[in-house]
Amino acid sequence: MSEKKQTLWTRDFTIITLGSVVSMFGNAMSGFALSLLVLDYTQSAFYYSIYIVLYTLPQLIMPVLSGALLDRFSRKKTIYTLDFLSAAIYAGAAFLLRSGWFSFGWLAAGVFLVGSINSIYMVAYQSFYPLLITEGNYQKAYSIASVLETFSMVMIPVATFFYNQVGIAPILAVNAVCFFVAASLETRIRQKEEYVERRRTETSSRLRQMTEDIWEGMVYLKEEKGLFAVAVYFTFSALMMGCTSVLTLPYFKLTFENGEYLYMVVFGMATVGRGIAGMVHYRRPIPKDKKYAITLAVYIATSLIEGFLLYFPVPVMGVLMFASGVMGITSYTIRVSATQKYVPDERKGRFNGAFNMLNTVGSLTGEITAGALTNVIPTRVTVMLYGLICALAAVIFIGGNKNEVSRIYNTEE
């Protein structure tokens, strides 16, 4: 194989990476600013949980529907079309809020729409991105993706500063520009989507095709015992994430003076850990025969860290989150590169759709139940219980299916 084919930084990969940088940084900034807006406007963890749930709710069904469609239609066109649409939505929102108009009801409707767009976009992106990676470069590519996603979190303190100085409208306007730039870049990707041509020969009606594809996606996931075990575990992992997403920021903001800044420091340490580990994995491959053992240990350890985090002093929280970031990006790189390489191109949309749907089930359940439980038991106890459940799920589903999961994880690129 020629040297050129082994180069990761092809034209298309460079474009998708640049587009991701622009959109992720803008989205991270506007997303956190909107969270602060909701908390300031409502002064309620309950309303904040409603806001989070409404963003998550469309992701319950959209990934499955879009996953089936995206195995037949252009994922590239879907990606840049949704980015252009997002640019228009954020520009409109910036204009309205600049005019002094605000309503929690309309904000909730807008969040639901953005959640719907994002859930389709994620399936398209996750299914298209592997097609732009040259053979033997999966770990490097996903290390880069994870580092960029991690570094986008530096926009959180930037968002907080500008939110307190100039309000939400300019931040949303900047995000609109970011999405427009990203979409413009993505239109220039040249990668051919051969799976579309292969499936055009099928003669079933569109509705019947979609129904069959949804069913086939579920059957495929169930038949692949290793993939199924991973997907089920990540449903519980998403349960934990749903819990922490609705409880940790309100806990810091309502417990400490300038709590949002302490929150950024603590969880910023996880960002630092992910960034450092991601750069290491870009240069040094993870030993093939150690990947499964590493991920199992990480899944258990990170669940326990997040579960007991709020019981520690703030400096200890920072150290623990740094360790969690290092471990988390390691397991992420192993899992995503292994599963996306393992699943055939013509099934990636359905697999990612089904996987994302199960994640959403877990996340939505965590958001709703954790928010409700805080009316009965303290926040710290609630988070601890979810952490223990997640750790137990890792032992049962990942540890209990060692042969099947290791067959996927312990592979060369």
Side-chain angles (χ1 to χ4, degrees):
M1 186 173 290
S2 68
E3 183 66 24
K4 185 177 180 180
K5 291 184 179 179
Q6 293 299 314
T7 300
L8 173 62
W9 290 99
T10 60
R11 179 182 183 278
D12 285 349
F13 185 80
T14 302
I15 290 173
I16 197 72
T17 302
L18 290 174
S20 298
V21 169
V22 175
S23 60
M24 280 193 296
F25 274 62
N27 225 15
M29 186 166 63
S30 64
F32 192 74
L34 283 170
S35 297
L36 294 176
L37 176 68
V38 171
L39 283 171
D40 286 341
Y41 181 77
T42 65
Q43 294 292 310
S44 169
F46 174 72
Y47 278 104
Y48 180 72
S49 67
I50 291 176
Y51 161 78
I52 296 294
V53 166
L54 286 171
Y55 178 78
T56 309
L57 191 60
Q59 300 176 48
L60 189 62
I61 188 64
M62 288 295 183
V64 178
L65 295 176
S66 60
L69 291 171
L70 289 168
D71 278 340
R72 296 180 182 277
F73 300 104
S74 172
R75 298 163 189 167
K76 180 183 76 173
K77 291 180 181 178
T78 302
I79 288 170
Y80 67 68
T81 300
L82 291 177
D83 273 348
F84 278 129
L85 179 58
S86 295
I89 291 171
Y90 280 106
F95 174 78
L96 291 173
L97 288 169
R98 180 72 175 176
S99 303
W101 176 90
F102 181 82
S103 163
F104 182 78
W106 282 107
L107 175 65
V111 165
F112 184 86
L113 176 60
V114 170
S116 299
I117 292 171
N118 186 64
S119 60
I120 299 171
Y121 178 90
M122 287 306 298
V123 175
Y125 185 87
Q126 290 168 357
S127 305
F128 185 61
Y129 186 75
L131 305 184
L132 309 182
I133 303 172
T134 52
E135 191 67 27
N137 286 309
Y138 276 77
Q139 180 180 316
K140 280 189 174 184
Y142 283 105
S143 295
I144 292 165
S146 62
V147 168
L148 293 177
E149 185 176 353
T150 297
F151 284 161
S152 71
M153 294 300 102
V154 303
M155 300 309 294
I156 289 178
V158 174
T160 304
F161 174 79
F162 282 105
Y163 172 78
N164 290 327
Q165 294 298 316
V166 300
I168 189 71
I171 296 173
L172 297 182
V174 169
N175 197 25
V177 173
C178 288
F179 271 112
F180 183 83
V181 171
S184 300
L185 287 170
E186 289 155 356
T187 60
R188 303 183 66 82
I189 294 174
R190 296 172 179 170
Q191 174 68 33
K192 293 182 179 179
E193 298 173 282
E194 296 176 356
Y195 62 91
V196 176
E197 297 298 327
R198 289 197 294 267
R199 302 208 68 185
R200 278 180 180 168
T201 58
E202 299 175 9
T203 57
S204 302
S205 68
R206 291 277 177 91
L207 180 60
R208 183 176 177 181
Q209 285 176 355
M210 187 175 71
T211 304
E212 289 175 351
D213 286 348
I214 292 171
W215 176 250
E216 286 175 11
M218 294 299 186
V219 170
Y220 174 70
L221 188 59
K222 186 176 179 181
E223 288 177 347
E224 289 285 346
K225 195 173 180 180
L227 290 176
F228 184 71
V230 172
V232 173
Y233 163 71
F234 273 92
T235 304
F236 284 92
S237 178
L239 180 82
M240 178 67 191
M241 290 180 63
C243 168
T244 56
S245 69
V246 299
L247 297 186
T248 51
L249 177 58
Y251 176 82
F252 274 85
K253 193 168 174 59
L254 300 174
T255 302
F256 304 103
E257 185 178 357
N258 295 319
E260 64 267 35
Y261 291 99
L262 287 177
Y263 172 88
M264 286 187 290
V265 170
V266 170
F267 288 90
M269 291 301 293
T271 300
V272 173
R274 288 194 293 266
I276 293 173
M279 289 186 286
V280 170
H281 296 322
Y282 177 77
R283 295 184 175 276
R284 298 184 61 182
I286 300 170
K288 170 186 171 182
D289 59 341
K290 302 293 184 183
K291 291 181 178 179
Y292 168 78
I294 289 171
T295 53
L296 177 58
V298 167
Y299 294 158
I300 296 171
T302 52
S303 299
L304 295 177
I305 286 174
E306 293 192 25
F308 288 91
L309 183 71
L310 300 182
Y311 284 97
F312 293 97
V314 170
V316 179
M317 289 185 192
V319 173
L320 290 173
M321 288 311 298
F322 176 83
S324 179
V326 170
M327 291 187 289
I329 211 63
T330 301
S331 65
Y332 169 86
T333 302
I334 293 171
R335 190 260 303 174
V336 177
S337 59
T339 55
Q340 294 302 321
K341 182 174 176 59
Y342 181 82
V343 179
D345 289 346
E346 60 270 19
R347 291 182 179 269
K348 279 185 169 64
R350 282 166 289 176
F351 166 73
N352 289 321
F355 186 90
N356 288 355
M357 186 206 69
L358 290 173
N359 269 243
T360 303
V361 169
S363 181
L364 193 60
T365 303
E367 291 164 4
I368 295 171
T369 56
L373 278 174
T374 54
N375 294 319
V376 182
I377 58 178
T379 295
R380 295 192 297 181
V381 176
T382 302
V383 175
M384 179 190 68
L385 290 175
Y386 281 72
L388 291 172
I389 290 170
C390 189
L392 182 61
V395 173
I396 293 172
F397 295 104
I398 304 299
N401 293 279
K402 178 179 179 181
N403 293 336
E404 292 79 8
V405 177
S406 62
R407 182 168 60 88
I408 298 171
Y409 281 9
N410 290 352
T411 56
E412 297 286 356
E413 297 203 357

